[in-house]
Short mmCIF file of all heavy atoms in Angstrom, two decimals:
data_model
loop_
_atom_site.label_atom_id
_atom_site.label_comp_id
_atom_site.label_asym_id
_atom_site.label_seq_id
_atom_site.Cartn_x
_atom_site.Cartn_y
_atom_site.Cartn_z
N ASP A 1 18.45 23.57 31.45
CA ASP A 1 18.54 22.20 31.95
C ASP A 1 17.24 21.88 32.70
O ASP A 1 16.74 22.70 33.48
CB ASP A 1 19.72 22.06 32.92
CG ASP A 1 21.06 22.05 32.20
OD1 ASP A 1 21.07 22.20 30.97
OD2 ASP A 1 22.09 21.91 32.88
N VAL A 2 16.71 20.69 32.47
CA VAL A 2 15.49 20.26 33.17
C VAL A 2 15.73 18.88 33.77
O VAL A 2 16.24 17.98 33.11
CB VAL A 2 14.29 20.20 32.21
CG1 VAL A 2 13.08 19.56 32.90
CG2 VAL A 2 13.92 21.59 31.72
N LEU A 3 15.39 18.75 35.05
CA LEU A 3 15.47 17.47 35.76
C LEU A 3 14.07 17.11 36.23
O LEU A 3 13.41 17.93 36.88
CB LEU A 3 16.42 17.59 36.95
CG LEU A 3 16.52 16.36 37.87
CD1 LEU A 3 17.11 15.17 37.11
CD2 LEU A 3 17.34 16.67 39.12
N GLU A 4 13.62 15.89 35.89
CA GLU A 4 12.32 15.42 36.34
C GLU A 4 12.50 14.15 37.15
O GLU A 4 13.16 13.21 36.71
CB GLU A 4 11.38 15.15 35.15
CG GLU A 4 10.81 16.40 34.54
CD GLU A 4 9.61 16.12 33.65
OE1 GLU A 4 9.24 14.93 33.52
OE2 GLU A 4 9.05 17.08 33.08
N LEU A 5 11.92 14.16 38.34
CA LEU A 5 11.94 13.00 39.22
C LEU A 5 10.52 12.46 39.34
O LEU A 5 9.62 13.15 39.83
CB LEU A 5 12.48 13.39 40.60
CG LEU A 5 13.84 14.10 40.62
CD1 LEU A 5 14.20 14.51 42.04
CD2 LEU A 5 14.92 13.21 40.02
N GLN A 6 10.31 11.24 38.85
CA GLN A 6 8.99 10.62 38.88
C GLN A 6 8.97 9.58 40.00
O GLN A 6 9.61 8.53 39.90
CB GLN A 6 8.68 9.97 37.53
CG GLN A 6 8.69 10.97 36.38
CD GLN A 6 8.33 10.33 35.06
OE1 GLN A 6 7.87 9.18 35.01
NE2 GLN A 6 8.53 11.06 33.96
N ALA A 7 8.26 9.93 41.06
CA ALA A 7 8.23 9.09 42.26
C ALA A 7 6.79 8.63 42.51
O ALA A 7 5.88 8.90 41.73
CB ALA A 7 8.75 9.87 43.46
N HIS A 8 6.59 7.92 43.63
CA HIS A 8 5.24 7.58 44.04
C HIS A 8 4.52 8.87 44.45
O HIS A 8 5.12 9.79 45.00
CB HIS A 8 5.26 6.58 45.19
CG HIS A 8 5.79 5.23 44.78
ND1 HIS A 8 7.11 4.89 44.92
CD2 HIS A 8 5.18 4.17 44.22
CE1 HIS A 8 7.30 3.65 44.46
NE2 HIS A 8 6.13 3.19 44.03
N GLY A 9 3.21 8.91 44.17
CA GLY A 9 2.49 10.16 44.28
C GLY A 9 1.96 10.50 45.65
O GLY A 9 0.84 11.02 45.76
N GLY A 10 2.70 10.23 46.70
CA GLY A 10 2.29 10.65 48.04
C GLY A 10 2.77 12.06 48.32
O GLY A 10 3.90 12.41 48.01
N PRO A 11 1.94 12.92 48.90
CA PRO A 11 2.34 14.30 49.17
C PRO A 11 3.61 14.42 50.00
O PRO A 11 4.45 15.29 49.74
CB PRO A 11 1.13 14.88 49.92
CG PRO A 11 -0.03 14.02 49.51
CD PRO A 11 0.55 12.65 49.31
N VAL A 12 3.78 13.54 51.00
CA VAL A 12 4.97 13.62 51.86
C VAL A 12 6.22 13.29 51.06
O VAL A 12 7.26 13.97 51.17
CB VAL A 12 4.82 12.68 53.07
CG1 VAL A 12 6.12 12.66 53.89
CG2 VAL A 12 3.66 13.12 53.95
N VAL A 13 6.15 12.24 50.24
CA VAL A 13 7.30 11.85 49.42
C VAL A 13 7.72 13.00 48.52
O VAL A 13 8.92 13.32 48.40
CB VAL A 13 6.96 10.61 48.58
CG1 VAL A 13 8.08 10.31 47.58
CG2 VAL A 13 6.72 9.40 49.48
N LEU A 14 6.77 13.63 47.87
CA LEU A 14 7.09 14.72 46.94
C LEU A 14 7.65 15.93 47.67
O LEU A 14 8.57 16.60 47.17
CB LEU A 14 5.84 15.10 46.15
CG LEU A 14 5.26 13.99 45.25
CD1 LEU A 14 4.00 14.48 44.55
CD2 LEU A 14 6.29 13.52 44.23
N GLN A 15 7.14 16.21 48.85
CA GLN A 15 7.70 17.32 49.62
C GLN A 15 9.13 17.03 50.05
O GLN A 15 9.99 17.92 50.05
CB GLN A 15 6.82 17.60 50.85
CG GLN A 15 5.48 18.26 50.54
CD GLN A 15 5.64 19.66 49.97
OE1 GLN A 15 6.62 20.34 50.25
NE2 GLN A 15 4.67 20.07 49.17
N LEU A 16 9.41 15.77 50.41
CA LEU A 16 10.78 15.39 50.77
C LEU A 16 11.73 15.57 49.59
O LEU A 16 12.86 16.04 49.74
CB LEU A 16 10.82 13.95 51.27
CG LEU A 16 10.21 13.69 52.65
CD1 LEU A 16 10.16 12.19 52.94
CD2 LEU A 16 11.02 14.41 53.73
N LEU A 17 11.28 15.20 48.40
CA LEU A 17 12.10 15.39 47.21
C LEU A 17 12.33 16.87 46.92
O LEU A 17 13.42 17.28 46.53
CB LEU A 17 11.45 14.71 46.00
CG LEU A 17 11.51 13.19 45.95
CD1 LEU A 17 10.72 12.67 44.74
CD2 LEU A 17 12.97 12.71 45.87
N LEU A 18 11.30 17.66 47.12
CA LEU A 18 11.42 19.10 46.90
C LEU A 18 12.45 19.70 47.86
O LEU A 18 13.32 20.49 47.46
CB LEU A 18 10.05 19.75 47.11
CG LEU A 18 9.69 20.99 46.31
CD1 LEU A 18 9.72 20.70 44.82
CD2 LEU A 18 8.28 21.48 46.69
N LEU A 19 12.38 19.31 49.13
CA LEU A 19 13.34 19.81 50.12
C LEU A 19 14.74 19.33 49.81
O LEU A 19 15.72 20.06 50.01
CB LEU A 19 12.91 19.35 51.52
CG LEU A 19 11.64 19.99 52.09
CD1 LEU A 19 11.25 19.34 53.41
CD2 LEU A 19 11.85 21.49 52.29
N ARG A 20 14.86 18.10 49.31
CA ARG A 20 16.17 17.57 48.97
C ARG A 20 16.81 18.36 47.82
O ARG A 20 18.03 18.60 47.81
CB ARG A 20 16.05 16.10 48.59
CG ARG A 20 17.36 15.47 48.12
CD ARG A 20 18.43 15.51 49.19
NE ARG A 20 19.69 14.95 48.71
CZ ARG A 20 20.88 15.51 48.90
NH1 ARG A 20 20.98 16.67 49.55
NH2 ARG A 20 21.98 14.93 48.44
N CYS A 21 16.00 18.77 46.86
CA CYS A 21 16.52 19.59 45.76
C CYS A 21 17.06 20.91 46.29
O CYS A 21 18.15 21.36 45.88
CB CYS A 21 15.41 19.85 44.74
SG CYS A 21 14.93 18.41 43.76
N LEU A 22 16.33 21.56 47.19
CA LEU A 22 16.80 22.81 47.78
C LEU A 22 18.09 22.61 48.57
O LEU A 22 19.03 23.41 48.50
CB LEU A 22 15.72 23.39 48.69
CG LEU A 22 14.50 24.00 47.99
CD1 LEU A 22 13.40 24.31 49.01
CD2 LEU A 22 14.89 25.27 47.24
N GLN A 23 18.13 21.49 49.31
CA GLN A 23 19.33 21.18 50.11
C GLN A 23 20.53 20.92 49.21
O GLN A 23 21.63 21.39 49.48
CB GLN A 23 19.04 19.98 50.99
CG GLN A 23 20.15 19.67 52.00
CD GLN A 23 19.82 18.46 52.84
OE1 GLN A 23 19.18 17.53 52.38
NE2 GLN A 23 20.25 18.47 54.10
N ALA A 24 20.32 20.19 48.13
CA ALA A 24 21.42 19.89 47.20
C ALA A 24 21.96 21.17 46.58
O ALA A 24 23.18 21.33 46.40
CB ALA A 24 20.94 18.93 46.12
N ALA A 25 21.06 22.11 46.23
CA ALA A 25 21.51 23.37 45.66
C ALA A 25 22.38 24.13 46.65
O ALA A 25 23.40 24.72 46.28
CB ALA A 25 20.30 24.22 45.26
N SER A 26 22.00 24.09 47.92
CA SER A 26 22.79 24.77 48.95
C SER A 26 24.15 24.12 49.13
O SER A 26 25.17 24.80 49.29
CB SER A 26 22.01 24.77 50.27
OG SER A 26 22.77 25.35 51.30
N GLU A 27 24.19 22.78 49.08
CA GLU A 27 25.46 22.06 49.25
C GLU A 27 26.41 22.34 48.09
O GLU A 27 27.63 22.38 48.28
CB GLU A 27 25.19 20.56 49.33
CG GLU A 27 24.44 20.12 50.58
CD GLU A 27 24.00 18.68 50.51
OE1 GLU A 27 24.15 18.07 49.42
OE2 GLU A 27 23.49 18.16 51.51
N LEU A 28 25.87 22.54 46.91
CA LEU A 28 26.70 22.71 45.72
C LEU A 28 27.13 24.15 45.51
O LEU A 28 27.92 24.43 44.61
CB LEU A 28 25.93 22.23 44.48
CG LEU A 28 25.64 20.73 44.43
CD1 LEU A 28 24.65 20.42 43.33
CD2 LEU A 28 26.93 19.94 44.21
N GLU A 29 26.65 25.07 46.31
CA GLU A 29 26.93 26.49 46.13
C GLU A 29 28.42 26.81 46.07
O GLU A 29 28.85 27.57 45.20
CB GLU A 29 26.26 27.31 47.25
CG GLU A 29 26.54 28.80 47.15
CD GLU A 29 25.85 29.57 48.27
OE1 GLU A 29 25.10 28.96 49.04
OE2 GLU A 29 26.07 30.79 48.36
N PRO A 30 29.26 26.27 46.97
CA PRO A 30 30.67 26.67 46.92
C PRO A 30 31.43 26.10 45.72
O PRO A 30 32.54 26.53 45.44
CB PRO A 30 31.24 26.08 48.23
CG PRO A 30 30.05 25.72 49.05
CD PRO A 30 28.99 25.36 48.07
N LEU A 31 30.86 25.12 45.02
CA LEU A 31 31.59 24.46 43.94
C LEU A 31 31.73 25.36 42.73
O LEU A 31 30.86 26.17 42.42
CB LEU A 31 30.88 23.16 43.55
CG LEU A 31 30.76 22.12 44.67
CD1 LEU A 31 30.06 20.88 44.14
CD2 LEU A 31 32.12 21.77 45.25
N SER A 32 32.80 25.22 42.04
CA SER A 32 33.10 26.04 40.87
C SER A 32 32.05 25.82 39.78
O SER A 32 31.64 24.71 39.49
CB SER A 32 34.48 25.66 40.31
OG SER A 32 34.73 26.33 39.10
N GLY A 33 31.64 26.95 39.17
CA GLY A 33 30.73 26.88 38.04
C GLY A 33 29.27 26.69 38.42
O GLY A 33 28.43 26.57 37.54
N LEU A 34 28.96 26.67 39.71
CA LEU A 34 27.58 26.41 40.12
C LEU A 34 27.00 27.60 40.90
O LEU A 34 26.15 27.44 41.75
CB LEU A 34 27.50 25.14 40.97
CG LEU A 34 27.94 23.85 40.28
CD1 LEU A 34 27.91 22.70 41.25
CD2 LEU A 34 27.02 23.56 39.10
N ALA A 35 27.51 28.77 40.58
CA ALA A 35 27.09 29.95 41.34
C ALA A 35 25.61 30.27 41.16
O ALA A 35 25.02 30.96 41.97
CB ALA A 35 27.92 31.16 40.93
N ARG A 36 25.02 29.76 40.10
CA ARG A 36 23.63 30.10 39.85
C ARG A 36 22.65 29.21 40.63
O ARG A 36 21.49 29.50 40.73
CB ARG A 36 23.32 29.97 38.35
CG ARG A 36 24.05 30.98 37.48
CD ARG A 36 23.59 30.88 36.03
NE ARG A 36 24.28 31.81 35.16
CZ ARG A 36 25.43 31.53 34.56
NH1 ARG A 36 25.97 30.35 34.70
NH2 ARG A 36 26.02 32.42 33.78
N LEU A 37 23.12 28.09 41.13
CA LEU A 37 22.22 27.16 41.81
C LEU A 37 21.57 27.70 43.07
O LEU A 37 20.46 27.33 43.38
CB LEU A 37 22.97 25.86 42.16
CG LEU A 37 23.01 24.82 41.04
CD1 LEU A 37 23.81 23.62 41.49
CD2 LEU A 37 21.62 24.40 40.63
N PRO A 38 22.23 28.58 43.86
CA PRO A 38 21.55 29.09 45.05
C PRO A 38 20.25 29.83 44.74
O PRO A 38 19.44 30.05 45.62
CB PRO A 38 22.59 30.06 45.66
CG PRO A 38 23.90 29.53 45.20
CD PRO A 38 23.64 28.99 43.82
N GLY A 39 20.03 30.21 43.48
CA GLY A 39 18.78 30.85 43.12
C GLY A 39 17.62 29.89 43.00
O GLY A 39 16.51 30.30 42.69
N LEU A 40 17.86 28.60 43.24
CA LEU A 40 16.80 27.61 43.13
C LEU A 40 15.69 27.93 44.13
O LEU A 40 15.94 28.18 45.30
CB LEU A 40 17.36 26.22 43.41
CG LEU A 40 16.43 25.04 43.14
CD1 LEU A 40 16.16 24.91 41.65
CD2 LEU A 40 17.01 23.75 43.68
N ARG A 41 14.46 27.92 43.65
CA ARG A 41 13.30 28.26 44.48
C ARG A 41 12.08 27.57 43.90
O ARG A 41 12.12 27.01 42.80
CB ARG A 41 13.08 29.78 44.51
CG ARG A 41 12.92 30.36 43.13
CD ARG A 41 12.54 31.83 43.14
NE ARG A 41 12.56 32.40 41.81
CZ ARG A 41 11.62 32.21 40.90
NH1 ARG A 41 10.56 31.46 41.19
NH2 ARG A 41 11.70 32.78 39.71
N VAL A 42 10.98 27.62 44.66
CA VAL A 42 9.73 27.06 44.18
C VAL A 42 9.19 27.94 43.06
O VAL A 42 9.20 29.17 43.16
CB VAL A 42 8.71 26.96 45.34
CG1 VAL A 42 7.36 26.49 44.82
CG2 VAL A 42 9.23 26.02 46.42
N ALA A 43 8.73 27.32 42.00
CA ALA A 43 8.28 28.05 40.82
C ALA A 43 6.97 28.77 41.07
O ALA A 43 6.14 28.35 41.89
CB ALA A 43 8.12 27.08 39.65
N GLN A 44 6.77 29.86 40.35
CA GLN A 44 5.50 30.58 40.34
C GLN A 44 4.54 29.89 39.37
O GLN A 44 4.96 29.11 38.51
CB GLN A 44 5.72 32.03 39.91
CG GLN A 44 6.62 32.82 40.84
CD GLN A 44 6.01 32.98 42.22
OE1 GLN A 44 4.82 33.28 42.35
NE2 GLN A 44 6.81 32.78 43.25
N PRO A 45 3.23 30.17 39.45
CA PRO A 45 2.29 29.57 38.49
C PRO A 45 2.70 29.86 37.05
O PRO A 45 2.95 31.02 36.69
CB PRO A 45 0.96 30.24 38.84
CG PRO A 45 1.09 30.60 40.28
CD PRO A 45 2.53 30.97 40.48
N GLY A 46 2.79 28.81 36.25
CA GLY A 46 3.10 28.97 34.84
C GLY A 46 4.53 29.31 34.51
O GLY A 46 4.86 29.59 33.36
#
């Protein structure tokens, strides 16, 4: 699954979106079928 969010290109805006993705993964952890989401992390190069 791939999710792309295209926002305005300000560094602060993009960092806020990045943090929101991590927060959402944490909130969804207890839900059924989403046990893999807590592994969400910042990607390595490539």
Side-chain angles (χ1 to χ4, degrees):
D1 286 2
V2 172
L3 175 65
E4 283 196 0
L5 306 176
Q6 300 182 11
H8 293 94
V12 174
V13 172
L14 297 178
Q15 287 295 332
L16 288 173
L17 286 176
L18 211 60
L19 291 174
R20 176 61 182 134
C21 289
L22 287 170
Q23 187 180 33
S26 177
E27 292 171 352
L28 293 168
E29 178 179 355
L31 300 181
S32 174
L34 299 176
R36 294 185 181 88
L37 275 178
L40 188 68
R41 56 173 173 77
V42 175
Q44 298 296 316

